[in-house]
Amino acid sequence: ERVVEVRALLLLALLCQWQHRHAEFAQSADESVRLAEAYQLPDQLPLALRWRGEACRAAGNLVQARADFDRGVELARDHGDRRALGALLIARARLAFEQNQFDDALISLEQALVVHREAGLRDEEAKCLSNMALMQVYRGRAVDAVAAYRQAIALAREIGATDRLPYLMNGLGEAL
């Protein structure tokens, strides 16, 4: 019953985010963290922290966003929640990217890639490779970008994610 309440708040937060109702997004995400802590639901807390971090990021509170992402990463690792861990690492990478901290973003993406590979989450692995290629472009490392794009293209073909191929091929062409 308590898990359902926390998850319902997270769904409400996502709905508000999609509808660009930022204040309600932040309120629902914050309440989900508060309840997950109050109800002592450590398996729900990483995801709640992710979405509160996203709400903070959207509101420009980047310090709190980073703190939520970092705490969520620690908790997800402690509880072996690979899906949440990967999502939090990617959120942390996106935050670093938006602050032009490309090296930090790449480190988080590399960690997420390992998590997704170990968990067999091939689709998420392909997304990580694509994002890593883009980070290499921003870092001015064309050779590394080309290698990452080629890996992403091969994996996208292997898993049938053909909808990503035009984007990946375009990125590869620009990196060359």
Side-chain angles (χ1 to χ4, degrees), residues 18-36:
W18 292 329
Q19 294 176 341
H20 304 286
R21 296 170 22 211
H22 303 293
E24 293 169 89
F25 170 41
Q27 181 181 7
S28 297
D30 189 56
E31 183 69 7
S32 71
V33 171
R34 191 186 69 70
L35 288 180

Side-chain angles (χ1 to χ4, degrees), residues 80-83 112-122 125:
D81 186 346
R82 290 181 177 176
R83 191 170 294 276
L113 180 66
V114 170
V115 168
H116 294 306
R117 278 186 177 156
E118 288 176 353
L121 301 170
R122 306 294 306 266
E125 180 183 346

Side-chain angles (χ1 to χ4, degrees), residues 13-14 16-27 29 49-69 91-92 94-96 98-99:
L14 290 175
C16 291
Q17 180 193 35
W18 292 329
Q19 294 176 341
H20 304 286
R21 296 170 22 211
H22 303 293
E24 293 169 89
F25 170 41
Q27 181 181 7
L49 286 164
R50 176 198 176 191
W51 290 111
R52 185 173 75 179
E54 292 289 0
C56 290
R57 184 183 64 78
N61 187 349
L62 306 182
V63 172
Q64 182 61 51
R66 178 63 189 241
D68 282 347
F69 294 150
R92 190 164 72 182
R94 185 173 40 253
L95 180 65
E98 290 169 353
Q99 296 175 300

Side-chain angles (χ1 to χ4, degrees), residues 29-165:
D30 189 56
E31 183 69 7
S32 71
V33 171
R34 191 186 69 70
L35 288 180
E37 290 174 333
Y39 295 157
Q40 298 180 357
L41 300 171
D43 57 323
Q44 299 301 307
L45 193 51
L47 190 57
L49 286 164
R50 176 198 176 191
W51 290 111
R52 185 173 75 179
E54 292 289 0
C56 290
R57 184 183 64 78
N61 187 349
L62 306 182
V63 172
Q64 182 61 51
R66 178 63 189 241
D68 282 347
F69 294 150
D70 288 347
R71 183 171 171 221
V73 163
E74 288 178 32
L75 291 169
R77 275 194 182 119
D78 290 348
H79 291 94
D81 186 346
R82 290 181 177 176
R83 191 170 294 276
L85 177 57
L88 282 153
L89 287 165
I90 289 171
R92 190 164 72 182
R94 185 173 40 253
L95 180 65
F97 172 78
E98 290 169 353
Q99 296 175 300
N100 296 324
Q101 299 169 351
F102 305 126
D103 292 341
D104 288 346
L106 186 60
I107 289 167
S108 290
L109 287 170
E110 288 169 344
Q111 292 172 353
L113 180 66
V114 170
V115 168
H116 294 306
R117 278 186 177 156
E118 288 176 353
L121 301 170
R122 306 294 306 266
D123 192 53
E124 297 302 319
E125 180 183 346
K127 290 176 190 175
C128 278
L129 286 167
S130 172
N131 289 326
M132 288 170 67
L134 183 60
M135 269 328 100
Q136 297 294 16
V137 168
Y138 277 96
R139 294 173 76 223
R141 298 184 183 225
V143 172
D144 294 332
V146 167
Y149 273 123
R150 286 184 174 150
Q151 287 179 35
I153 290 167
L155 183 55
R157 285 182 174 145
E158 183 181 325
I159 64 173
T162 55
D163 59 317
R164 285 201 203 112
L165 288 175

